[in-house]
Amino acid sequence: MTHPPHETIIDAHLHVWDPSRGVYPWLGPHLAPIDRAMALPEVTPALADHGVGAAVLVQSADDDFDTELMLETARADRRIVGVVGYVPLHQPSVAADRLARLRDDPLFVGVRNLIHERDDPAWILRPDVDAGLGMLEEAGVPFDFVAAGPAALGTAAEVARRHPGLHLVLDHLGAPPLRTGLDHAEQWSQHLEFLAGCPRVYAKLSGLYLGDDPTGEALRRLGSHLRTALRLFGSERLMYGGDWPICLLHESYGRTLGLVRQVLPDLDPAAWRDVLAGTATRVYGIDPGRVKATGS
């Protein structure tokens, strides 16, 4: 069994938020443990405990205030090596102006919209939004795609088909089914196989929660899904993400990292470097010097 090399690990999917700065429509009392401001100092001890020396912040609200909060956090802490922010893709002219300003900041590395919170599951395929994606494609700016299940992963496949030059990052591995039936698993695998055939599609090993698993069935399914992803994408198109603080609704920080190490025990050192830092660095265009500085 090989182990990851002792180099800086990048968590490619971390959140911060502050309800005093603006509205997070999805946040509320039903998420009591995290229904408050969640700031970077709360997670930094856990990052250190698990050998994570750098992180990419990912948007939590479809609003500029959220992006500004992340950029402020990044400027104040050198462990943050990139910010995936928001631009209104459904308003291409507004998005173009906002994107131009964001690209002047070396910490800005990508765009995300909360498409999984939209009432219309095909919102991302609308002509106006499609034009926004075309703008990202032309600019070479990665787009994080949140898929809430196999059907949404099919929508991601359509986005990749329409925009072959877009760097598309699948958050949470496209939500592989860990407890649903075989049909869902086959649908997920088929969509993932198509997406893996698109050379500019990447996937995050994040948001993979087993929950109560007394029989170990969810763990077995997760292992199968991760091995499928590795076979289809190769290590050079996979990256680790801890999904803090969402992870606190399910488990303590670091459980996902431990699972990845557990179910992919035979990766060689070069492959571990891809999953734990290299892929995120390449896809998001992160300054390697900034990553190196986090460990100094």
Side-chain angles (χ1 to χ4, degrees):
M1 177 176 177
T2 59
H3 295 274
H6 293 288
E7 298 177 7
T8 297
I9 297 174
I10 299 176
D11 183 332
H13 202 92
L14 198 71
H15 302 287
V16 293
W17 57 69
D18 185 350
S20 73
R21 299 278 294 261
V23 177
Y24 300 85
W26 55 271
L27 194 60
H30 62 295
L31 301 175
I34 57 174
D35 184 24
R36 57 182 178 83
M38 303 299 296
L40 189 64
E42 287 197 50
V43 71
T44 48
L47 296 178
D49 287 346
H50 292 280
V52 178
V56 174
L57 294 181
V58 177
Q59 66 101 225
S60 303
D62 287 346
D63 198 295
D64 291 345
F65 81 85
D66 180 63
T67 303
E68 294 304 323
L69 172 63
M70 290 189 292
L71 289 171
E72 290 171 17
T73 301
R75 294 181 191 118
D77 195 313
R78 65 182 184 181
R79 283 167 290 201
I80 303 306
V81 295
V83 167
V84 175
Y86 169 75
V87 299
L89 293 176
H90 59 295
Q91 299 174 297
S93 60
V94 176
D97 290 341
R98 177 63 171 162
L99 185 64
R101 292 195 296 273
L102 287 172
R103 293 184 73 198
D104 286 337
D105 194 318
L107 286 165
F108 171 74
V109 299
V111 167
R112 188 172 89 147
N113 282 209
L114 298 183
I115 58 178
H116 60 309
E117 295 290 333
R118 300 273 178 175
D119 292 334
D120 180 4
W123 178 85
I124 195 72
L125 301 179
R126 282 178 13 181
D128 52 352
V129 184
D130 193 69
L133 291 172
M135 176 187 62
L136 298 183
E137 180 180 20
E138 183 177 355
V141 175
F143 179 70
D144 269 47
F145 190 104
V146 194
L153 201 59
T155 303
E158 176 61 18
V159 169
R161 187 191 66 78
R162 293 184 183 187
H163 299 280
L166 178 65
H167 293 273
L168 192 66
V169 182
L170 298 175
D171 289 349
H172 316 321
L173 196 55
L178 299 179
R179 297 185 178 279
T180 52
L182 183 61
D183 289 346
H184 288 87
E186 289 180 350
Q187 186 183 19
W188 175 83
S189 296
Q190 289 169 2
H191 290 319
L192 198 73
E193 185 167 6
F194 174 85
L195 286 159
C198 305
R200 289 183 173 84
V201 176
Y202 313 86
K204 289 182 181 178
L205 306 183
S206 61
L208 305 170
Y209 304 121
L210 301 183
D212 185 27
D213 187 32
T215 67
E217 178 61 24
L219 177 59
R220 286 190 289 273
R221 288 193 179 198
L222 176 60
S224 176
H225 294 330
L226 290 184
R227 288 187 290 273
T228 294
L230 181 64
R231 173 177 58 83
L232 292 174
F233 286 90
S235 63
E236 66 276 8
R237 292 164 63 196
L238 299 175
M239 65 183 87
Y240 158 69
D243 198 27
W244 186 90
I246 296 295
C247 68
L248 301 180
L249 299 174
H250 308 274
E251 59 198 27
S252 60
Y253 180 85
R255 174 63 170 154
T256 296
L257 182 58
L259 288 171
V260 171
R261 287 170 165 161
Q262 179 180 345
V263 303
L264 298 177
D266 298 324
L267 292 186
D268 61 31
W272 276 123
R273 290 187 186 96
D274 286 336
V275 173
L276 298 182
T279 301
T281 300
R282 290 191 303 271
V283 174
Y284 286 129
I286 296 168
D287 179 2
R290 187 174 180 89
V291 176
K292 186 177 180 180
T294 65
S296 61

